[in-house]
């Protein structure tokens, strides 16, 4: 039904566009007046007026219709004598009624359900009919209004401008509201978690074993159980593991990425650059899960083999393997961005340096890189946040055990990996174990936010210095 | 008459398939200012970029013919370009100070060439260079501020100081005043007058008045050819060539 309505609205709008355009054209010729805008703007004006109010109405209606019908039906079912103790049971009955209406219910149907299903059918019908009537009413009203406007030769171009500005504003508002929504959902779930687990136990605990919290719902935890849980959610091993793997990744990615960026920007001929740049960028296009099994099945065992030859114990899932592969994955972020930044350093600076007799590498080291530094720092920090957020490689190659270690040959884990581990499979949503995932998410979010803030400050500081 | 410092013979320059200079024969005298004039794209800048081999930076550029400094072939493939550029400094059209402090802008060259081993020697070089470029009084209290914080005219004098800092023999100036206001231009011209006591200077300019004011010798380029060269006074008062006459009187270009 909605699709048919949208289709109709579109057809109306398109035909109104042509109508509005030719109408204003003929008016201007007939009465020999100068239009305030090009004829096509009158067309656009009609289109916007015909479609936007109707579509907005349709959207709002579709959002609220199910909610309203549901509350009405549950109430009628209760009046018929249906018994339910809480919200869940009410939901169950509502789903049953819906299924009967759709003909997909195969259980026993008693008279209460039957009556309610009939009522449901009635309401659905009523709502659909009124929706169609209202939409056509709105379309007619807004089209009449806009037609009247264009007959008076309004400034359609300016009006279209205003409407478009509103549309753009709404789009950006949606993005902002979504972000806020995500933050708040993280925040509220985390608050639930921190009402069970002390925030300081979480932030400064050195032991992470959330599986111990596989208990009943959080509200009925006993004091003894709480004592038990106190040291199960220590955040330190996770942040340590995350920073450690990210650090190894940066050790790989920053030098290789930066040097290849410098080569691309300063030394490579146009031909070499044209071929090799896309090839390096392919690295960023490989799905991380492919990197993951490359790390887990090829690199990890290889390190173990090499380690054995030197008499070292290397875990087959090691921070080194994961960090190394992650580093390779983020090379293109560093190289591609720093290449662009270095390219945008004005040639006049290089000329100035050559003119006092500096060689190419002296020029790059002492003039080009310092001038490009803000951008390079930016690209490195982008790579860092990519490394911190990376999940798949670590899940597959670095293990799941939260070891607090600085030995790169041992297995370790990261924040994102733990979130995955906590949330895969069946979950009780009110267990502290599940809620801890939200707390981890929030912490990760705050950490990334701080990192971005520092990055922006650093970049700004260098900018001021050089501009 | 001073000695000849730089001598070009049948110098040709090509950018890809396009020939930019045709058989240029031009001698530049020591400790004198030579002005190169001519309409845009006539090859003046290309010519001076041959003197310090800056054209090497451009991949498609090819230079043939002979150009010598004190009898040394500049165009020699085996020539050490770095030490050539140490001897032939350059100042560009637009001031291009490095994104470094004023001090570092000047100490950059000497450091690279290992001049000024100690801090005090380096300080001395910086001070001398700034004094020679008449900037010392204006910046002596803020040597650690970025070079880019100076005004346009000051920046250009900073670039001149940077060129002087490695103690070159020749200074090439590629329209050094084109981005400056008249007051800053006047200061630079005064400076050029002072510098010619020590250095051989070649200046490319679009301003006839400037050429008359600062130079002893003037060369007129047109479409990649050196049309006429001679004493500045003669070129501007009584040129041999009709084209030169037309250009300096503003009939074309």
């Amino acid at each position: 039904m909605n699709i048919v309505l949208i289709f109709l609205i579109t057809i109306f709008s398109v035909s109104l566009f042509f109508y509005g355009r030719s109408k204003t054209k003929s008016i201007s010729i007939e009465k020999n007046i100068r239009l305030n805008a090009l004829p096509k703007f009158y067309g656009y004006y009609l289109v916007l007026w015909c479609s936007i109010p109707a579509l907005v109405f349709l959207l709002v209606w579709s959002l609220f219709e199910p909610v309203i019908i549901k509350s009405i039906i549950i109430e009628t079912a209760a009046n018929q004598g249906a018994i339910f103790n809480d919200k869940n049971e009410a939901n169950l009955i509502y789903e049953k009624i819906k299924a009967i209406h759709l003909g997909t219910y195969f259980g026993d149907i008693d008279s209460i359900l039957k009556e309610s299903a009939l009522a449901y059918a009635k309401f659905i019908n009523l709502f659909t009919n009124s929706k169609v009537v209202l939409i056509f009413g709105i379309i007619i009203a807004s089209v009449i209004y806009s037609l009247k406007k264009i007959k008076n030769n309004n400034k359609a171009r300016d009006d279209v401008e205003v409407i478009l500005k509103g549309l753009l504003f709404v789009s950006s508002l949606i993005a902002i509201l979504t972000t806020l929504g995500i933050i708040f959902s993280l925040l509220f779930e985390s608050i639930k978690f921190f009402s069970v687990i002390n925030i300081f136990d979480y932030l400064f605990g050195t032991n992470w074993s959330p599986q111990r919290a596989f208990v009943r719902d959080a509200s009925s935890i006993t004091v003894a159980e709480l004592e038990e849980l106190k040291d199960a959610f220590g955040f330190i091993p996770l942040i340590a593991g995350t920073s450690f793997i990210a650090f190894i990744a940066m050790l790989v990615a920053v030098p290789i990425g930066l040097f290849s960026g410098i080569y691309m920007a300063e030394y490579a001929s146009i031909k070499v650059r044209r071929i090799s740049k896309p090839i390096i960028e392919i690295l960023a296009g490989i799905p991380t899960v492919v990197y993951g099994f490359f790390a887990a099945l090829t690199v990890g065992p290889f390190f173990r083999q090499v380690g054995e030859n030197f008499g070292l114990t290397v875990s087959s899932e090691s921070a080194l393997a994961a960090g190394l592969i992650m580093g390779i994955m983020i090379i293109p972020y560093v190289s591609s961005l720093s290449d662009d930044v270095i390219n945008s350093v004005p040639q006049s600076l290089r000329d100035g340096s050559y003119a006092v007799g500096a060689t190419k590498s002296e020029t790059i080291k002492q003039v080009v890189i310092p001038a490009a530094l803000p951008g390079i720092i930016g690209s490195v920090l982008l790579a860092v946040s990519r490394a911190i957020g990376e999940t798949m490689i670590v899940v597959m190659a670095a293990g799941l055990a939260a070891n607090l270690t600085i030995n790169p040959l041992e297995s370790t884990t990261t924040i994102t990996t733990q979130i995955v581990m906590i949330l895969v499979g069946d979950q009780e949503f009110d267990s502290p174990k599940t809620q801890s995932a939200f707390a981890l998410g929030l912490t990760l979010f705050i950490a990334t936010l701080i990192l971005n803030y520092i990055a922006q400050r650093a970049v700004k500081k260098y900018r001021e210095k050089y501009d | 008459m001073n000695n000849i410092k730089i001598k070009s013979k049948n110098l040709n320059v090509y950018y890809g398939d396009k020939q930019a200079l045709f058989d240029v024969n031009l001698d530049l005298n020591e400790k004198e200012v030579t002005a190169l004039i001519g309409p845009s794209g006539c090859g003046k800048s290309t010519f001076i970029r041959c003197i310090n081999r800056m054209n090497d930076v451009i991949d498609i550029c090819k230079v043939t013919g002979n150009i010598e400094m004190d009898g040394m072939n500049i165009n020699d493939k085996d020539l050490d370009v770095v030490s050539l550029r140490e001897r032939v400094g350059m100042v560009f059209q637009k001031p291009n100070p490095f994104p470094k402090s004023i001090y570092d802008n000047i100490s950059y060259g000497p450091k690279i060439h290992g001049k000024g081993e100690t801090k005090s020697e380096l300080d001395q070089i910086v001070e001398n260079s700034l004094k020679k470029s008449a900037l010392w009084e204006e910046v002596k209290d803020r040597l650690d501020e970025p070079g880019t914080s100076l005004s346009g005219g000051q920046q250009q004098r900073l670039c001149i100081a940077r060129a002087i800092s490695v103690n070159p023999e020749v200074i090439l100036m590629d329209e050094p005043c084109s981005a400056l206001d008249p007051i800053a231009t006047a200061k630079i011209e005064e400076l050029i007058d002072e510098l010619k006591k020590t250095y051989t200077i070649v200046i490319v300019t679009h301003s006839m008045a400037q050429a008359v004011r600062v130079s002893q010798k003037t060369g007129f380029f047109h479409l990649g050819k050196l049309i006429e060269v001679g004493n500045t006074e003669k070129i501007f008062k009584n040129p041999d060539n009709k084209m030169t006459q037309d250009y300096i009187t503003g009939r074309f270009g």
Side-chain angles (χ1 to χ4, degrees):
Chain A
M1 193 67 213
N2 284 347
I3 290 175
V4 176
L5 281 175
I6 290 172
F7 181 66
L8 283 177
I9 293 172
T10 316
I11 291 194
F12 280 144
S13 305
V14 172
S15 42
L16 272 173
F17 172 77
F18 292 109
Y19 174 75
R21 199 174 61 172
S22 60
K23 180 81 180 170
T24 43
K25 244 186 216 164
S26 63
I27 288 177
S28 77
I29 295 168
E30 238 170 63
K31 300 189 179 165
N32 194 22
I33 48 166
R34 197 179 158 276
L35 291 174
N36 279 326
L38 293 176
K40 65 178 180 185
F41 281 104
Y42 292 96
Y44 292 141
Y45 185 71
L46 287 183
V47 168
L48 291 169
W49 263 108
C50 171
S51 55
I52 291 175
L55 288 175
V56 169
F57 175 78
L58 188 61
L59 180 73
V60 174
W61 184 278
S62 310
L63 284 178
F64 288 105
E65 191 193 64
V67 183
I68 295 170
I69 289 186
K70 186 175 162 184
S71 72
I72 293 175
I73 290 300
I74 289 175
E75 212 183 303
T76 40
N79 289 340
Q80 302 266 346
I83 304 151
F84 37 81
N85 294 320
D86 60 13
K87 230 173 109 188
N88 291 338
E89 286 176 38
N91 279 340
L92 190 66
I93 288 184
Y94 175 66
E95 290 302 324
K96 273 186 191 168
I97 294 167
K98 238 168 90 180
I100 293 168
H101 173 69
L102 294 171
T104 54
Y105 183 70
F106 300 109
D108 295 331
I109 304 177
D110 56 17
S111 66
I112 300 172
L113 283 178
K114 207 168 171 187
E115 285 300 314
S116 307
L118 285 176
Y120 180 77
K122 209 176 79 193
F123 277 115
I124 288 281
N125 219 342
L126 180 69
F127 270 77
T128 311
N129 287 341
S130 28
K131 176 166 77 179
V132 173
V133 170
L134 281 172
I135 282 194
F136 280 104
I138 287 173
I139 291 180
I140 290 166
S142 50
V143 167
I144 288 176
Y145 170 78
S146 51
L147 279 176
K148 212 174 132 192
K149 274 274 195 167
I150 68 167
K151 276 216 185 85
N152 294 336
N153 188 16
N154 70 331
K155 293 193 164 59
R157 183 153 49 179
D158 297 347
D159 292 349
V160 167
E161 201 70 20
V162 170
I163 299 174
L164 286 182
K165 197 173 108 189
L167 271 178
L168 298 178
F169 172 73
V170 169
S171 307
S172 53
L173 199 65
I174 288 173
I176 292 170
L177 288 180
T178 318
T179 315
L180 284 179
I182 292 172
I183 293 173
F184 279 113
S185 84
L186 275 179
L187 203 61
F188 289 133
E189 294 294 327
S190 306
I191 288 173
K192 279 189 206 162
F193 173 71
F194 289 126
S195 68
V196 180
I197 307 292
N198 186 320
I199 188 163
F200 292 106
D201 287 342
Y202 166 76
L203 282 179
F204 302 112
T206 54
N207 179 29
W208 178 263
S209 41
Q211 55 284 357
R212 267 170 42 201
F214 215 64
V215 290
R216 296 185 307 276
D217 56 322
S219 49
S220 62
I221 281 182
T222 62
V223 180
E225 277 172 336
L226 192 60
E227 274 308 305
E228 281 260 298
L229 280 184
K230 240 186 128 171
D231 61 347
F233 293 99
F235 178 63
I236 298 282
L238 300 190
I239 188 71
T242 305
S243 325
F244 188 43
I245 290 185
F247 178 71
I248 295 174
M250 297 321 287
L251 278 188
V252 177
V254 170
I256 298 180
L258 191 57
F259 291 162
S260 80
I262 291 172
Y263 175 75
M264 291 289 165
E266 295 286 331
Y267 290 97
S269 68
I270 297 171
K271 213 169 145 192
V272 172
R273 194 179 139 89
R274 206 163 40 207
I275 297 168
S276 53
K277 210 178 165 190
I279 292 178
I280 291 179
E281 275 162 10
I282 285 177
L283 280 177
I286 297 174
T288 56
V289 71
V290 176
Y291 279 110
F293 63 67
F294 179 59
L297 302 180
T298 313
V299 180
F302 172 72
F303 280 161
R304 199 162 78 150
Q305 198 70 52
V306 174
E308 264 171 20
N309 294 345
F310 286 97
L312 289 169
T313 351
V314 183
S315 162
S316 61
E317 292 181 325
S318 65
L320 186 63
L324 181 76
I325 295 299
M326 197 191 279
I328 289 171
M329 184 188 79
I330 53 184
I331 285 173
Y333 287 80
V334 181
S335 78
S336 200
L337 280 170
S338 45
D339 174 13
D340 290 345
V341 181
I342 289 169
N343 256 325
S344 65
V345 171
Q347 180 63 31
S348 69
L349 287 185
R350 295 188 185 91
D351 286 348
S353 174
Y354 294 145
V356 292
T359 61
K360 195 154 188 165
S361 66
E362 283 165 342
T363 303
I364 292 168
K365 201 174 79 196
Q366 302 197 31
V367 176
V368 177
I369 298 290
L373 202 59
I376 291 172
I377 291 176
S379 74
V380 168
L381 284 165
L382 188 76
V384 171
S385 54
R386 186 81 179 76
I388 289 178
E390 173 52 38
T391 317
M392 215 57 220
I393 294 175
V394 190
V395 171
M396 296 172 86
L400 304 169
N403 287 335
L404 189 53
T405 175
I406 51 156
N407 181 353
L409 305 178
E410 273 180 49
S411 78
T412 182
T413 194
T414 65
I415 300 174
T416 52
T417 309
Q418 286 306 310
I419 296 178
V420 172
M421 211 176 89
I422 288 166
L423 291 183
V424 283
D426 292 336
Q427 295 304 327
E428 314 154 78
F429 266 92
D430 46 3
S431 127
K433 182 192 168 203
T434 314
Q435 283 162 356
S436 71
F438 289 94
L440 287 179
L442 185 69
T443 332
L444 188 63
F445 173 73
I446 292 173
T448 323
L449 205 67
I450 293 173
L451 205 65
N452 279 350
Y453 177 73
I454 295 172
Q456 269 167 10
R457 285 302 296 268
V459 169
K460 215 170 159 190
K461 204 175 146 199
Y462 281 109
R463 280 260 158 78
E464 275 164 8
K465 208 167 152 194
Y466 290 142
D467 274 351
Chain B
M1 193 73 175
N2 289 331
N3 297 330
I4 293 171
K5 181 77 181 170
I6 289 166
K7 195 178 180 70
S8 82
K9 230 188 274 160
N10 299 331
L11 191 71
N12 288 290
V13 177
Y14 306 83
Y15 291 116
D17 297 333
K18 199 177 151 279
Q19 189 165 1
L21 281 186
F22 298 83
D23 290 328
V24 173
N25 297 299
L26 181 58
D27 298 341
L28 307 171
N29 296 335
E30 198 169 14
K31 294 184 183 166
E32 227 182 66
V33 179
T34 307
L36 304 180
I37 58 170
S40 295
C42 66
K44 321 175 287 284
S45 298
T46 304
F47 177 76
I48 67 166
R49 287 170 70 94
C50 288
I51 302 174
N52 67 344
R53 291 269 297 264
M54 276 304 274
N55 285 325
D56 289 10
V57 177
I58 302 159
D59 285 340
I60 54 166
C61 185
K62 206 178 102 209
V63 182
T64 66
N66 209 22
I67 180 160
E68 284 174 2
M69 177 165 74
D70 295 337
M72 173 187 79
N73 183 9
I74 291 177
N75 219 4
D76 189 348
K77 269 204 175 66
D78 297 328
L79 178 93
D80 178 12
V81 177
V82 166
S83 60
L84 169 72
R85 289 180 189 156
E86 196 184 335
R87 293 173 65 190
V88 184
M90 188 165 189
V91 177
F92 297 86
Q93 194 167 354
K94 261 170 58 189
N96 56 349
F98 301 136
K100 296 170 182 290
S101 70
I102 294 171
Y103 184 95
D104 289 345
N105 256 287
I106 301 184
S107 64
Y108 178 74
K111 267 189 193 160
I112 280 175
H113 298 297
K115 295 175 178 169
E117 302 270 302
T118 62
K119 177 88 170 89
S120 62
E121 277 176 34
L122 218 49
D123 287 349
Q124 199 54 48
I125 291 175
V126 170
E127 188 180 332
N128 284 344
S129 307
L130 283 171
K131 274 183 177 158
K132 275 190 196 157
S133 68
L135 194 60
W136 176 248
E137 288 304 318
E138 289 158 66
V139 301
K140 65 180 175 194
D141 299 323
R142 48 181 183 137
L143 291 175
D144 51 353
E145 278 179 35
T148 42
S149 69
L150 298 173
S151 74
Q154 288 174 326
Q155 285 189 15
Q156 195 63 299
R157 276 180 283 152
L158 180 67
C159 292
I160 293 174
R162 184 174 71 193
I164 293 171
S165 66
V166 291
N167 202 14
E169 296 154 38
V170 181
I171 299 176
L172 310 171
M173 296 185 172
D174 191 355
E175 297 178 46
C177 302
S178 64
L180 304 181
D181 65 46
I183 294 169
T185 302
K187 279 195 175 146
I188 303 264
E189 285 177 6
E190 251 172 61
L191 180 58
I192 291 172
D193 231 26
E194 188 61 33
L195 291 176
K196 74 158 190 274
K197 290 174 189 161
T198 334
Y199 309 101
T200 306
I201 294 173
V202 190
I203 178 170
V204 166
T205 177
H206 273 133
S207 153
M208 313 295 158
Q210 185 171 61
V212 173
R213 283 194 298 265
V214 301
S215 71
Q216 285 73 55
K217 193 173 173 181
T218 298
F220 170 61
F221 279 79
H222 184 55
L223 295 178
K225 292 187 179 91
L226 179 63
I227 305 296
E228 189 172 350
V229 61
N231 284 335
T232 301
E233 211 170 313
K234 179 176 183 300
I235 292 279
F236 281 91
K237 280 203 178 127
N238 184 22
D240 291 334
N241 195 297
K242 171 95 175 38
M243 225 169 349
T244 318
Q245 174 76 38
D246 287 352
Y247 182 72
I248 58 173
T249 51
R251 243 165 278 170
F252 83 97

